[in-house]
Amino acid sequence: MKEEFRFEDREEFIKKLEEVLASGVAPEKVNAVYPHPDHHIEEIFEKYVPKSKLKFFTLLGGLSGTIGGFALTILTVLHWPMITGGKPLISIPAFIVIAFEMTILFGALASLTGFVLLSRVPNFKRILYPEDYGNEFVLQIEREDP
Amino acid sequence: MKRRDFLKVVGVASSATLLSSCGVEKSTEKLIPFLVPPDEDYIPGQATYYGSTCTECPANCGVSVKVVDFNPIKLEGLADHPVNRGALCLRGQSSILRLYHPDRVKQPLKRGPDGQFQPVSWEEALQQVVQALKDASGAGRSNVYLSGRTTGSLSRLLDDFAKETRVERLPEYEPFSHVNLREAYRLVFGRKEIPFFRIEEADFLLTVGVDLLETFVSPVSYAHQLGRAKARDDFHWVHFEPHASLTGFQADQRFVVRPGSEAYLMGFLLHYILTNGLNKKRIPPEITNALPKVDVNLVAEKTGLDAEVLNRLAARLAEARTPLVLSGGVSVHQKNGLETAVLTALLQWALGATDRVVDFSRAENYASVGSVKDVQKLVERLSRGEIGVLLVSRANPVGTLPASVALAEAMAKAGFRVALTDFVDETARQCDLILPLSHSLESWGDAEPRKGLLNLIQPTVEPIFNTLSEGDILLAIADGYRGRPNVLSYQQWLLREWNRAYGEAFVEEFLKKGFFEFPAKPLPLGLNRPALTAFLKAARLDAPPQGHWLYAMPSLRMFDGRSKVLKLTSEIPDPLTTISYGEWITVSDETAERLGVQDRDEVAFLREGTRLALPVKVQPGLNGEVSTIHWDQLDRAFLEMDPRSGELLAVVAEGQLQKTGKKIAVPILSGSMEEAYERGIFPDHNGHGMKHHAEVRETLYPPHEHPEYRWAMTIDLEKCIGCSACVAACYVENNVAIVGEQEHLKGREMAWIRIEPFYGKDRDREMNFMVMLCQQCCNAPCETVCPVYATMHNPEGLNAMVYNRCVGTRYCHNNCPYKVRRFNWFDHHWETPLDRMLNPDVFVRHKGVMEKCTFCVQRIRVARDHAKDENRKIRDGEVIPACAQTCPTEAIVFGNLLDETARVTQLAHSDRSYRVFEEIGTEPAVYYLRKKEIKDEA
Amino acid sequence: MKHKEVDTAKPMTVREKIDYQNEIEERVLGAMRKPTPLYWVGLGISLLMVLIGAISWTHQIRIGMGVAGINNPVGWGVYITDFVFWVGIAHSGTLISAILFLFRAKFRSRFNRSAEAMTVFAVLTAGLFPLIHLGRVWFAYWLFPYPNQRLLWVNFRSPLIWDVFAVSTYLTVSAIFFYVGMIPDLAIVRRFKKGFAKRIYSVLSLGWTGTFKEWQHYNQLYKYLAALATPLVISVHSVVSWDFAMSVIPGWHTTIFAPYFVAGAIFSGCAMVITLVVPMRKMFKLEKIITVDDFDKLAQILLFTSLIVGYAYIVEYTIAFWSGNVFEESQFIYRVVGEYKWFYYLMFFCNVILPLTLFSNRLRRNISYLFIVSIFVNIGMWFERFNIIVMSLAHDFDPYAWGFYMPSLVEFGITLGSFGWFFTWFLIFAKTLPIISITELKEEVA
């Protein structure tokens, strides 16, 4: 059974939320829907749920970008070594630029991937049947049937 | 050769053809030229060389014609030929375009009743000539033959022809007939000839106005000799001129004199020598008494030079061991030019130059060349209706004579006019029948440029169009006249003549070598007293009139205008002004300021009702009263004739200059001719260059490894005369596109090597040439920035350009500090049959691709293949890029820097050697040898 | 609905908040209503410009690069100027979006959606020019490192390859950033649409509901994207400036280019934002939302970056003459006395002199004046790139090689086409996507 509480006032919503979570309801069963990002609401939740793991995706992506960048440049130049401008074959200053850009690219793509995997967005059910709550703050609690 | 090798060669050659034919429309259908070669010795893609003669100008240099797949594609000088010694000038290199020129007359043309030319067959054309000859004789009129300079067997054939057909041979016509010079030698020595000048044996050369390096008689020969002479430390060259010429700027000392004062100068020198008893040969008193009276102060005033300078130079001239004084060209093409020439000849005698360095035993062959006076006589006869058939061969009198001679009008009175020519020029347009001549590369023949020297002319290709050689035409006409069947071809006639005159052994060697030099008989010389005395008594060293002078200088690129039709000569800029297409008039700095004009402003030169309007080019080093234009741009109305000798006078005085206010677009390819010294393009004379301000620092980069060869080049700037022959050779060798005037105006010339003129420290007296080509830098800025590796460094030290990888970002071109890279802005089109001239070893570039000098890598590859076959390394001198090969002064030396004994290594490490823009850190492979210290006032 | 100007800094009652939030939605989504004839005219003109550009480019590909005015020595001209110009404009969007986000500047939310859109479209426009200026554009794919049968890779030492990586990364990241930032707003749009349009926005908004789980990860994503985009802004335009700084040509080969170009990019980008937002604000009646104060702050950034750019000009000259290097000195003298001197004076006036007037409070708060100044700044910055590129090439080491370049009609046509291309995308954006970040405005009054 789904219990739903709608609030127009943010303060009321927050009070109710704190109440519900403090009362021992499992956080997975509590769903809050709100129209704009709200750090206070997040802080409340994060007392009971772990923080987002997205940063690890970003880190992994960034690192793979750096390594990949250097790997691409160094391995290709060793594969067919051609002298240009007398510069040493492994021109680190030049390759840093490539690695840097790839760090950012892979970091961004990895973050996006992480987001998709973690937040389950795109959500195909909701694409077909969207749920709109407007500017209201909504609290949905799944309670077991008695 | 073994069949396997043959197939290998065919495979390689055909794939090369495949690669090179991708851009050339014509040969895309034929991937493999021949499966079964028509000739035992023919190998597809392999070059064969034939000895022949260049006929672009009367100098007749010996050439070696490179023929690939039955197409002659390049001319190079014959290595041991006495005239050019392996070199070839700009016009000679460009002359291959004449063979394939699409505008050549392709078959005989007859003027129809509507006045237009219609094609006719050879039988009909020749039959008409024969008929006309017979008709004219029948009516009691004379038939005459007017040709350009004709030497050797053709001259003998003409004599035979004239006898058989009763045609009168007129004195030959050349615009540059040097008749004043010849007349002067007749007056002084009784020999109406131009002697051979052994410039390289002189130790003091004094020249007055003569354009030795541009068009004077045998420019490649003089240039080569000057190159040798300049290499010696005891050679000093002083040049006097009122105008600014390429030759003048190459002298060690150049003096700008007032126009018209050259005769006074020679008079003074002679006077000084004689008065001080410094003459090496005696001059009888009757002559010395007849000499015009000049004293140093008068001459100083007339010439505008310091009396002290004059005295010092005269003294130096006198004490030289082998002095040589020369005048000619423009200095004798004036009203008092004959006086100048006579005094020079006398001076040569007095200084003892005629013993060795002025050599009549090898005189240049102008014996049968007439003068304008002879043409005037023809005009009179024509006007009187005495001429029946007029045959004009290899000459364009209508286009080059003074307007006052009125030859075109007179020609209308002739019965029948025939032109034997390769292009429809002004003379041909007046004719009834045009018989197209084969190019010398398509015909048999010989030439005798000098006494005792016989050049071979042999065909290297089947005639491209329906043309015949002049010998064949003459034989056919004579046979037709005599009612004989025409069985003897000119080739057979020639072989018969040679065998008869010289013997069979000679003929074989002659055909193999391409020329033959007979031993010279020493000629004793003596003064022609009576004529000389009479002349001197009547001589007038005219006081220069007032007003502005216009000097029409013979053009390095166009000669007397005949080479203008070769587009390449217009594409390559004039080395002094860097103007490529178009016409211009030069003015001095002061005149420009006075008139308030800059480059490209139009001025009009006015004289007695004739007006010549041209855009201006400011030229330092010009006398303030003088302007110059190129000879072929002078309005015919300005030309005059010296009534004494018939010389064509091309110096016009008493004119005035006016600014018209118009601006004309002229492609001046150089951005600026200043600042060369500040920028380190030339180091200071004491050897310090930019190194003063910016030291060349140690490089951060690892050194290159060169396992086998490291190609490098040295260019001796002392020897470079700016003749641009290297530029023309490079164009022909590397299929560089000729882009035309519009592209030049946009600044898109394609030359891979260029001559950059820069004013010297003393702007009026010095102009130096930098030869700029791809420096093949070790740390090339261009290589780093190419995103696709289309340019990279190869293990032999070359900056390799990979055409098929280039995507055309042009970053390499931007990053080159020398700006030697050239981009193909459009696809280029060689109009048939010019596409036969393309070098199959070099890829023809498409639009969007970058190109540049490759040190003729195709030649390096061929040499490497040969060396590999013979299991050895490439020897020094085996690879010669096109530019180095053709340079008349041997200024460019190419070779392997790893070879310690190579010439290039020794020169590169000599104390005169430096590199341009070294402080940027590019490590170029081209070393320049700076000009030697200028020895100050003698 | 007329409301008095809302001061979002003051605390509001719940009613006021809800009214304000509804009003924002109505106004911003009102911009997406059926287009007026004026809009169609604007779109038509833009498309016409694109057509001219397309015809010019096709002509150039068929005939050859020679139809442009570039020559020896000036191998780069209007096309590279356009490239750097558009990349520069793109940077300001990311600055406003990402960097101001990290600094938590409030006024950012008025501009960031348009700015991000401007970024993406400007990069799309800029990305055309490396293709347009290629001599053999049909081989443009050789610029990307892909495994191929010839075993060829690209030259990673070349600044042009750095460009390829930087601009591709920039396009990808700013597109992601733009899109991700829009997801909640697209959900709002979905709420108001019906029928087929609703389906489209459903798909575009990826089924976003606004649950805690979604927001939790979303905030992280946005934060990290902003954090990644910040060094990207600096690096991308630095890389573009290194196209010039890595060469040896006097006037190009200088270490000041990276900060100079980045500052210049932000400068021109801010100006372009003003140019775009001022008329948009008028047309869609967003005056209450985008206030004069917001423009004031934007103008301050404009002024600040103009000072940096002016400083860079002075430093260039100082270093050139202090270096004693004859080539540098000659180049910088040429800039003020040579054939292009009027372009230099124009640039100096537009970029240095005119923005100094923004020290005046009154002028900064005059929207029409800001609009005019922004146009001049755009012109000035275009000419700055032109001057740097063309003047250095026209007058470098060897005096023989000095030359002159004037753009041809084809180059004008393509430049016109690029502006048309940009405005077409922007106009389409204005009608199909919310032009202000509704969600962030709501967050402000929470």
Coordinates of all heavy atoms in Angstrom, one line a residue, chain B residues 438-495:
Chain B
S438 N 59.5 22.7 -88.3 CA 59.7 21.8 -87.2 C 60.6 22.4 -86.2 O 61.5 23.2 -86.5 CB 60.3 20.5 -87.6 OG 59.3 19.8 -88.4
H439 N 60.4 22.1 -84.9 CA 61.4 22.6 -83.9 C 62.7 21.8 -84.1 O 62.7 20.8 -84.7 CB 60.7 22.2 -82.5 CG 61.4 22.9 -81.4 ND1 62.5 22.3 -80.7 CD2 61.2 24.1 -80.8 CE1 62.9 23.1 -79.7 NE2 62.1 24.2 -79.8
S440 N 63.7 22.4 -83.5 CA 65.0 21.8 -83.7 C 65.1 20.4 -83.0 O 65.8 19.5 -83.4 CB 66.1 22.6 -83.1 OG 65.9 22.9 -81.7
L441 N 64.2 20.2 -82.0 CA 64.1 18.8 -81.4 C 63.4 17.8 -82.3 O 63.4 16.6 -81.9 CB 63.4 18.9 -80.0 CG 64.2 19.7 -78.9 CD1 63.3 19.9 -77.7 CD2 65.4 18.9 -78.6
E442 N 62.8 18.3 -83.4 CA 62.1 17.4 -84.3 C 62.9 17.2 -85.6 O 62.4 16.5 -86.5 CB 60.7 17.9 -84.6 CG 59.8 18.1 -83.4 CD 58.6 18.9 -83.8 OE1 58.8 19.9 -84.5 OE2 57.5 18.5 -83.5
S443 N 64.0 17.9 -85.7 CA 64.6 17.9 -87.1 C 66.1 17.6 -87.0 O 66.8 17.6 -86.0 CB 64.5 19.2 -87.7 OG 64.0 20.2 -86.9
W444 N 66.6 17.3 -88.2 CA 68.1 17.1 -88.4 C 68.7 18.4 -88.8 O 68.0 19.3 -89.4 CB 68.3 16.1 -89.5 CG 68.2 14.7 -89.1 CD1 67.1 13.9 -89.2 CD2 69.1 13.9 -88.4 NE1 67.3 12.7 -88.7 CE2 68.5 12.6 -88.1 CE3 70.4 14.1 -87.9 CZ2 69.2 11.6 -87.5 CZ3 71.1 13.1 -87.2 CH2 70.5 11.9 -87.0
G445 N 69.9 18.6 -88.4 CA 70.6 19.8 -88.9 C 71.9 19.9 -88.2 O 72.4 19.0 -87.5
D446 N 72.5 21.1 -88.4 CA 73.7 21.4 -87.6 C 73.8 22.9 -87.4 O 73.0 23.6 -88.1 CB 75.0 20.8 -88.2 CG 75.3 21.4 -89.6 OD1 74.7 22.5 -89.9 OD2 76.1 20.8 -90.3
A447 N 74.7 23.4 -86.6 CA 74.8 24.8 -86.4 C 76.3 25.1 -86.1 O 77.0 24.2 -85.6 CB 74.0 25.3 -85.2
E448 N 76.7 26.3 -86.5 CA 78.1 26.7 -86.3 C 78.1 28.0 -85.5 O 78.3 29.0 -86.1 CB 78.7 26.8 -87.6 CG 80.2 26.7 -87.6 CD 80.8 26.9 -89.0 OE1 80.2 26.5 -90.0 OE2 81.8 27.6 -89.1
P449 N 77.9 27.9 -84.2 CA 77.8 29.2 -83.5 C 79.1 30.0 -83.5 O 79.1 31.2 -83.4 CB 77.5 28.7 -82.0 CG 77.9 27.3 -82.0 CD 77.8 26.7 -83.3
R450 N 80.2 29.3 -83.6 CA 81.5 29.9 -83.5 C 82.4 29.3 -84.6 O 82.1 28.2 -85.1 CB 82.2 29.6 -82.2 CG 82.2 30.6 -81.2 CD 83.0 30.0 -80.0 NE 82.2 30.2 -78.9 CZ 82.5 29.7 -77.7 NH1 83.6 28.9 -77.6 NH2 81.8 29.9 -76.7
K451 N 83.4 30.0 -85.0 CA 84.3 29.5 -86.0 C 84.9 28.2 -85.5 O 85.4 28.2 -84.3 CB 85.4 30.5 -86.2 CG 85.4 31.1 -87.6 CD 86.7 31.8 -87.9 CE 86.4 33.2 -88.0 NZ 87.4 34.1 -88.3
G452 N 84.8 27.2 -86.3 CA 85.5 25.9 -85.9 C 84.7 25.1 -84.9 O 85.2 24.1 -84.5
L453 N 83.5 25.4 -84.6 CA 82.7 24.6 -83.7 C 81.4 24.2 -84.5 O 80.7 25.0 -85.0 CB 82.3 25.4 -82.5 CG 81.4 24.7 -81.5 CD1 82.0 23.4 -81.0 CD2 81.1 25.6 -80.3
L454 N 81.2 22.9 -84.6 CA 80.0 22.4 -85.3 C 79.1 21.7 -84.3 O 79.6 20.8 -83.6 CB 80.4 21.4 -86.4 CG 79.3 21.1 -87.4 CD1 78.9 22.4 -88.2 CD2 79.8 20.0 -88.4
N455 N 77.9 22.1 -84.2 CA 76.9 21.5 -83.3 C 76.0 20.6 -84.0 O 75.6 20.9 -85.1 CB 76.0 22.6 -82.6 CG 76.6 23.3 -81.5 OD1 77.7 23.0 -81.1 ND2 75.8 24.1 -80.8
L456 N 75.6 19.5 -83.5 CA 74.7 18.6 -84.1 C 73.2 19.0 -83.7 O 73.0 19.3 -82.5 CB 75.0 17.2 -83.6 CG 73.9 16.1 -84.1 CD1 74.0 15.9 -85.6 CD2 74.2 14.8 -83.4
I457 N 72.3 18.9 -84.6 CA 70.9 19.0 -84.3 C 70.3 17.7 -84.7 O 70.3 17.4 -85.9 CB 70.3 20.2 -85.0 CG1 70.9 21.5 -84.6 CG2 68.8 20.3 -84.7 CD1 70.3 22.7 -85.3
Q458 N 69.8 17.0 -83.8 CA 69.1 15.7 -84.2 C 67.7 15.6 -83.6 O 67.5 16.1 -82.5 CB 70.0 14.5 -83.9 CG 70.2 14.3 -82.4 CD 70.9 13.0 -82.1 OE1 70.6 12.0 -82.8 NE2 71.8 13.0 -81.2
P459 N 66.9 14.9 -84.3 CA 65.5 14.8 -83.8 C 65.4 13.8 -82.7 O 66.1 12.8 -82.6 CB 64.7 14.3 -85.0 CG 65.7 13.6 -85.8 CD 67.0 14.2 -85.6
T460 N 64.6 14.2 -81.7 CA 64.4 13.3 -80.5 C 62.9 12.8 -80.4 O 62.6 12.1 -79.5 CB 64.7 14.1 -79.2 OG1 63.9 15.3 -79.2 CG2 66.2 14.4 -79.2
V461 N 62.1 13.3 -81.4 CA 60.7 12.9 -81.3 C 60.2 13.1 -82.7 O 60.7 13.9 -83.5 CB 60.0 13.8 -80.3 CG1 59.9 15.2 -80.8 CG2 58.6 13.2 -80.0
E462 N 59.2 12.3 -83.0 CA 58.5 12.5 -84.3 C 57.8 13.8 -84.3 O 57.3 14.2 -83.2 CB 57.4 11.4 -84.5 CG 57.9 10.0 -84.7 CD 58.4 9.8 -86.1 OE1 58.0 10.5 -87.0 OE2 59.3 8.9 -86.3
P463 N 57.7 14.5 -85.4 CA 57.1 15.8 -85.4 C 55.7 15.8 -84.7 O 54.9 14.9 -85.1 CB 57.0 16.2 -86.9 CG 58.2 15.5 -87.5 CD 58.3 14.2 -86.8
I464 N 55.5 16.7 -83.8 CA 54.3 16.7 -83.1 C 53.1 17.1 -84.0 O 52.0 16.6 -83.9 CB 54.4 17.7 -81.9 CG1 55.7 17.6 -81.2 CG2 53.2 17.6 -81.0 CD1 55.7 16.7 -80.0
F465 N 53.4 18.0 -84.8 CA 52.3 18.5 -85.7 C 52.8 18.2 -87.2 O 53.9 17.6 -87.4 CB 52.1 20.0 -85.5 CG 51.8 20.4 -84.1 CD1 52.7 21.2 -83.4 CD2 50.6 20.0 -83.5 CE1 52.4 21.6 -82.1 CE2 50.3 20.3 -82.2 CZ 51.2 21.1 -81.5
N466 N 52.0 18.7 -88.1 CA 52.3 18.4 -89.5 C 53.3 19.5 -90.0 O 52.9 20.4 -90.7 CB 51.0 18.5 -90.3 CG 51.2 18.1 -91.7 OD1 52.3 17.7 -92.1 ND2 50.2 18.3 -92.6
T467 N 54.5 19.4 -89.5 CA 55.5 20.4 -89.9 C 56.7 19.7 -90.6 O 56.9 18.5 -90.6 CB 56.1 21.1 -88.6 OG1 56.6 20.1 -87.8 CG2 55.0 21.8 -87.9
L468 N 57.5 20.5 -91.2 CA 58.7 20.0 -91.9 C 59.9 20.9 -91.4 O 59.8 22.1 -91.1 CB 58.6 20.1 -93.4 CG 57.8 19.1 -94.1 CD1 57.8 19.4 -95.6 CD2 58.3 17.7 -93.8
S469 N 61.1 20.3 -91.5 CA 62.3 21.2 -91.2 C 62.6 22.0 -92.4 O 62.2 21.7 -93.6 CB 63.5 20.3 -90.9 OG 63.9 19.7 -92.0
E470 N 63.3 23.1 -92.2 CA 63.6 24.1 -93.3 C 64.4 23.4 -94.4 O 64.1 23.6 -95.6 CB 64.4 25.2 -92.7 CG 64.5 26.4 -93.7 CD 65.0 27.6 -93.1 OE1 65.2 27.6 -91.8 OE2 65.3 28.6 -93.8
G471 N 65.3 22.5 -94.0 CA 66.1 21.8 -95.0 C 65.2 21.0 -96.0 O 65.3 21.1 -97.2
D472 N 64.3 20.3 -95.4 CA 63.3 19.5 -96.2 C 62.5 20.4 -97.1 O 62.3 20.1 -98.3 CB 62.4 18.7 -95.3 CG 63.1 17.5 -94.8 OD1 63.9 16.8 -95.5 OD2 63.0 17.2 -93.6
I473 N 62.1 21.5 -96.6 CA 61.3 22.5 -97.4 C 62.1 23.0 -98.6 O 61.6 23.0 -99.7 CB 60.8 23.6 -96.5 CG1 59.8 23.1 -95.5 CG2 60.1 24.7 -97.4 CD1 59.4 24.2 -94.5
L474 N 63.3 23.4 -98.3 CA 64.1 23.9 -99.4 C 64.4 22.9 -100.4 O 64.3 23.2 -101.6 CB 65.5 24.4 -98.8 CG 65.3 25.7 -97.9 CD1 66.7 26.0 -97.2 CD2 64.9 26.9 -98.7
L475 N 64.7 21.7 -100.0 CA 65.0 20.6 -101.0 C 63.8 20.4 -101.8 O 63.8 20.2 -103.0 CB 65.4 19.3 -100.3 CG 66.9 19.4 -99.7 CD1 67.1 18.2 -98.8 CD2 67.9 19.3 -100.9
A476 N 62.6 20.3 -101.2 CA 61.4 20.1 -101.9 C 61.1 21.2 -102.9 O 60.7 20.9 -104.1 CB 60.2 19.9 -100.9
I477 N 61.3 22.4 -102.5 CA 61.0 23.5 -103.4 C 62.0 23.5 -104.6 O 61.6 23.6 -105.8 CB 61.1 24.9 -102.7 CG1 60.0 25.0 -101.7 CG2 60.9 26.0 -103.7 CD1 60.1 26.3 -100.9
A478 N 63.2 23.3 -104.3 CA 64.2 23.2 -105.4 C 63.9 22.1 -106.4 O 64.0 22.3 -107.6 CB 65.6 23.1 -104.8
D479 N 63.6 20.9 -105.8 CA 63.2 19.8 -106.7 C 62.0 20.2 -107.5 O 62.0 19.9 -108.7 CB 63.0 18.6 -105.9 CG 64.3 18.0 -105.3 OD1 65.4 18.3 -105.9 OD2 64.2 17.3 -104.3
G480 N 61.0 20.8 -106.9 CA 59.8 21.1 -107.6 C 60.1 22.1 -108.7 O 59.6 22.1 -109.8
Y481 N 61.0 23.1 -108.4 CA 61.3 24.1 -109.4 C 62.0 23.5 -110.6 O 61.8 23.9 -111.7 CB 62.3 25.1 -108.7 CG 62.5 26.4 -109.4 CD1 61.6 27.5 -109.3 CD2 63.6 26.5 -110.3 CE1 61.8 28.6 -110.0 CE2 63.8 27.7 -111.0 CZ 62.9 28.8 -110.8 OH 63.1 29.9 -111.5
R482 N 62.9 22.5 -110.2 CA 63.7 21.9 -111.3 C 62.9 20.8 -112.0 O 63.4 20.1 -112.8 CB 65.0 21.3 -110.7 CG 66.0 22.4 -110.4 CD 66.6 22.9 -111.6 NE 67.5 24.0 -111.3 CZ 68.0 24.8 -112.3 NH1 67.8 24.5 -113.5 NH2 68.8 25.8 -112.0
G483 N 61.7 20.5 -111.5 CA 60.9 19.4 -112.1 C 61.4 18.1 -111.7 O 61.2 17.1 -112.4
R484 N 62.2 17.9 -110.6 CA 62.7 16.6 -110.2 C 61.8 16.0 -109.2 O 61.1 16.7 -108.5 CB 64.1 16.8 -109.6 CG 65.2 17.3 -110.4 CD 66.5 17.1 -109.7 NE 66.5 17.9 -108.5 CZ 67.3 19.0 -108.3 NH1 68.0 19.4 -109.3 NH2 67.3 19.6 -107.2
P485 N 61.8 14.7 -109.1 CA 61.1 14.1 -107.9 C 61.9 14.4 -106.7 O 63.1 14.4 -106.7 CB 61.0 12.6 -108.3 CG 62.1 12.4 -109.2 CD 62.3 13.7 -110.0
N486 N 61.2 14.6 -105.6 CA 61.9 14.9 -104.4 C 62.3 13.7 -103.6 O 61.4 13.0 -103.0 CB 61.0 15.8 -103.5 CG 61.5 16.0 -102.1 OD1 60.8 15.8 -101.1 ND2 62.8 16.5 -102.0
V487 N 63.5 13.2 -103.8 CA 63.9 11.9 -103.2 C 64.8 12.1 -102.0 O 64.8 11.2 -101.1 CB 64.6 11.0 -104.3 CG1 63.6 10.5 -105.2 CG2 65.7 11.7 -104.9
L488 N 65.5 13.2 -102.0 CA 66.5 13.3 -101.0 C 65.9 14.1 -99.8 O 65.4 15.2 -100.0 CB 67.7 14.1 -101.5 CG 69.0 13.9 -100.9 CD1 69.5 12.5 -101.0 CD2 70.1 14.8 -101.5
S489 N 65.9 13.5 -98.6 CA 65.5 14.2 -97.4 C 66.7 15.0 -96.9 O 67.8 14.8 -97.3 CB 65.0 13.2 -96.4 OG 66.1 12.6 -95.8
Y490 N 66.4 15.9 -96.1 CA 67.4 16.8 -95.5 C 68.4 15.9 -94.7 O 69.6 16.2 -94.7 CB 66.8 17.9 -94.7 CG 67.8 18.9 -94.2 CD1 68.7 19.5 -95.0 CD2 67.8 19.3 -92.8 CE1 69.7 20.4 -94.5 CE2 68.6 20.3 -92.4 CZ 69.6 20.8 -93.2 OH 70.5 21.8 -92.7
Q491 N 67.9 14.9 -94.0 CA 68.7 14.1 -93.2 C 69.8 13.4 -94.1 O 70.9 13.4 -93.8 CB 67.9 13.0 -92.5 CG 68.7 12.0 -91.8 CD 67.9 10.9 -91.2 OE1 66.7 10.7 -91.5 NE2 68.5 10.0 -90.4
Q492 N 69.3 12.9 -95.3 CA 70.2 12.2 -96.2 C 71.2 13.2 -96.8 O 72.4 12.9 -97.0 CB 69.4 11.5 -97.3 CG 68.7 10.3 -96.8 CD 67.5 10.0 -97.7 OE1 67.0 10.9 -98.4 NE2 67.1 8.7 -97.7
W493 N 70.7 14.4 -97.1 CA 71.5 15.4 -97.7 C 72.6 15.7 -96.7 O 73.8 15.9 -97.0 CB 70.7 16.6 -98.0 CG 71.4 17.8 -98.7 CD1 71.4 17.9 -100.0 CD2 72.1 18.8 -98.1 NE1 72.2 19.0 -100.3 CE2 72.6 19.6 -99.2 CE3 72.5 19.2 -96.8 CZ2 73.4 20.8 -99.0 CZ3 73.3 20.3 -96.6 CH2 73.7 21.1 -97.7
L494 N 72.2 15.9 -95.4 CA 73.2 16.2 -94.4 C 74.3 15.2 -94.3 O 75.5 15.5 -94.2 CB 72.5 16.4 -93.0 CG 71.9 17.7 -92.7 CD1 71.1 17.6 -91.4 CD2 72.9 18.8 -92.6
L495 N 73.8 13.9 -94.2 CA 74.8 12.8 -94.0 C 75.8 12.8 -95.2 O 77.0 12.6 -95.0 CB 74.1 11.5 -93.9 CG 73.5 11.3 -92.5 CD1 72.6 10.1 -92.5 CD2 74.6 11.1 -91.4

